[in-house]
Amino acid sequence: MKLDPKLIRYLSSDEYRVLTATEMGSRNHEVVPTSLINSIAALKHGGVNKYLGTLAKNNLVARVKNARYDGYRLTYGGYDYLALKALSKRGSVYSIGNQIGVGKESDIYIVADEEGEQRVIKIHRLGRMSFRTIKSNRDYLRHRRTSSWLYMSRLAATKEYAFMQVLHAHGFPVPTPIDHNRHVLVMNLIDAYPLSQVHDVADPGLLYSKLMDLIVRLACSGLIHGDFNEFNLMLTADDEPVLIDFPQMVSTRHRNAEMYFNRDVECIRAFFKKRFNYESSIFPRFSRDTEREFSLDVEVAASGFSSKEQEELEKVCACVCVRVCVCVCVCVCVCVCVSLSPAFPSPPSSLLPRSPVSFVRVCNICSIDAVHGRRRRLQGVGR
């Protein structure tokens, strides 16, 4: 959903109290009972139902119909308002401008502080490109305290902020982290363009060398980006790279570390060959060029993002990648994408298909296209 900040300054303190009560109830309820919201908010003069109606009218909460009880769920709009209200009280965000970027799982906006200094906020929105209902993915959430994509978005933002802090403190070319709350990050505005939009550079060989050095430098510090490509790299006017987007970053102690490292290297090699017609026979190897010098992965864990939270985030990201429904043929669909996921072991080679598309057509029960992530009716097969 798109951020609509018009009502942030006009909501009353009681309305924010009801919104916060809905968030607190969401920790243990997918649909928060109205009675529980009333109990948590504890308004002196009552009127919770009236405030819930106003919030629902503005899409900050959503009333769930056909439920066994009267209840509401917090929407991304309401979660945005709670995060921005907290950041506003700290002075990190004063005004909100235009949207300057959008991704599969995040939105980017220009903001400013009270002095008019421009900044950037990144709003994580996990689940937007996957199933819209949490219940469809309940199989991997059964051991967690909550089943909300809002919780997973907060985890992703916490992880990214922790990595950004550590990398910036050690001189890596990353945005300057300023603040974060819930699923929203605040960072400085960088005068640069995405590498994916750059079609000509003065010296492709020099830029290629800088990027490979950056991959190796990260690995020697105990970290692997995991998604090191032209969409997560910015290029300044001086052709200096700036690294962005860190929710998928892992430690070099990760069981699939070598695979992630090699994938990052191959992404850059393939991009330079296609875009700049530049190909080099010199490229780093994980086993040869990644002697550990620092342990930034340990610093990240000490900064507040624990290994337990990392495991939870990986499990969800894996299941989002798979995009299968819970049915008797789930194992058939999982084999297509599970080998790409760090949260699951690779399937036996005997189960892997010759081609993903032909293998998906075997799954005639759930009709899930595991390659493109959308439901479809297979020809000649009933649902």
Side-chain angles (χ1 to χ4, degrees):
M1 66 163 293
K2 189 174 182 179
L3 174 65
D4 184 8
K6 292 183 295 185
L7 293 174
I8 291 181
R9 64 176 63 187
Y10 298 113
L11 289 183
S12 66
S13 58
D14 285 343
E15 287 170 325
Y16 273 112
R17 191 178 182 90
V18 172
L19 198 59
T20 303
T22 308
E23 179 194 21
M24 295 174 67
S26 298
R27 296 175 182 175
N28 298 309
H29 296 79
E30 187 174 336
V31 179
V32 187
T34 305
S35 57
L36 180 60
I37 298 175
N38 194 6
S39 175
I40 297 175
L43 299 182
K44 294 181 180 179
H45 307 290
V48 168
N49 287 325
K50 175 186 175 182
Y51 293 133
L52 282 172
T54 303
L55 295 173
K57 183 179 179 180
N58 293 285
N59 297 320
L60 303 183
V61 297
R63 184 173 183 177
V64 180
K65 300 179 180 180
N66 301 323
R68 290 178 297 176
Y69 53 86
D70 182 38
Y72 292 80
R73 64 175 179 82
L74 185 66
T75 66
Y76 263 120
Y79 208 45
D80 293 345
Y81 272 41
L82 290 173
L84 291 172
K85 182 70 173 178
L87 293 171
S88 176
K89 286 184 176 180
R90 297 181 199 160
S92 300
V93 175
Y94 180 75
S95 59
I96 301 175
N98 297 328
Q99 184 175 2
I100 61 172
V102 59
K104 297 188 299 296
E105 294 171 343
S106 64
D107 293 330
I108 313 296
Y109 289 86
I110 288 282
V111 299
D113 61 7
E114 294 186 8
E115 298 178 356
E117 180 185 354
Q118 288 189 339
R119 296 173 174 179
V120 169
I121 61 170
K122 179 177 181 180
I123 306 176
H124 286 265
R125 302 199 189 281
L126 265 66
R128 180 163 62 185
M129 299 302 290
S130 182
F131 291 138
R132 300 303 177 90
T133 57
I134 303 300
K135 191 175 294 184
S136 300
N137 302 290
R138 185 68 68 176
D139 58 330
Y140 62 86
L141 296 171
R142 63 170 64 97
H143 300 300
R144 293 215 347 263
R145 293 172 299 172
T146 179
S147 61
S148 175
W149 285 115
L150 303 180
Y151 173 73
M152 301 314 302
S153 297
R154 183 182 70 81
L155 272 186
T158 302
K159 176 180 180 179
E160 183 163 16
Y161 187 74
F163 276 106
M164 201 182 301
Q165 278 188 311
V166 171
L167 292 173
H168 183 267
H170 287 80
F172 282 88
V174 299
T176 304
I178 298 174
D179 199 356
H180 103 283
N181 184 269
R182 293 176 173 87
H183 65 314
V184 179
L185 291 173
V186 185
M187 62 193 84
N188 72 317
L189 177 63
I190 298 175
D191 186 13
Y193 291 93
L195 184 57
S196 59
Q197 299 178 10
V198 176
H199 295 273
D200 187 28
V201 294
D203 190 345
L206 179 60
L207 179 58
Y208 173 87
S209 178
K210 289 179 179 179
L211 296 179
M212 291 301 176
D213 287 345
L214 182 55
I215 294 175
V216 172
R217 184 183 169 196
L218 283 169
C220 291
S221 300
L223 297 172
I224 297 174
H225 188 272
D227 198 14
F228 199 95
N229 56 49
E230 64 271 21
F231 300 103
N232 293 327
L233 287 164
M234 307 284 286
L235 202 62
T236 66
D238 300 328
D239 287 347
E240 292 295 330
V242 179
L243 187 59
I244 60 173
D245 198 17
F246 310 101
Q248 65 290 320
M249 185 169 274
V250 298
S251 167
T252 50
R253 294 190 176 97
H254 194 282
R255 56 184 172 275
N256 294 328
E258 185 170 1
M259 183 271 288
Y260 286 127
F261 180 89
N262 294 336
R263 188 177 67 180
D264 286 349
V265 171
E266 287 303 316
C267 281
I268 296 302
R269 296 187 69 203
F271 173 75
F272 270 74
K273 182 179 179 180
K274 181 179 179 180
R275 180 63 58 86
F276 305 120
N277 196 25
Y278 177 86
E279 188 172 9
S280 175
S281 60
I282 302 175
F283 56 92
R285 299 183 184 277
F286 183 79
S287 57
R288 182 190 63 194
D289 302 314
T290 58
E291 183 178 353
R292 180 182 283 260
E293 298 176 1
F294 302 100
S295 296
L296 299 190
D297 51 340
V298 177
E299 289 191 32
V300 170
S303 68
F305 190 81
S306 65
S307 57
K308 181 180 179 181
E309 291 174 320
Q310 169 70 22
E311 291 175 1
E312 288 186 0
L313 191 58
E314 283 184 356
K315 287 180 181 179
V316 167
C317 291
C319 293
V320 169
C321 175
V322 174
R323 290 179 173 91
V324 294
C325 65
V326 183
C327 64
V328 295
C329 64
V330 66
C331 60
V332 178
C333 292
V334 167
C335 290
V336 178
C337 296
V338 76
S339 60
L340 302 179
S341 166
F344 295 97
S346 299
S349 57
S350 60
L351 293 178
L352 292 177
R354 293 182 179 179
S355 65
V357 175
S358 62
F359 192 69
V360 170
R361 290 174 183 168
V362 176
C363 182
N364 56 7
I365 298 179
C366 66
S367 302
I368 289 292
D369 185 336
V371 176
H372 301 291
R374 59 176 180 266
R375 182 178 293 277
R376 66 181 184 182
R377 185 185 294 275
L378 303 182
Q379 294 182 359
V381 177
R383 297 183 70 170

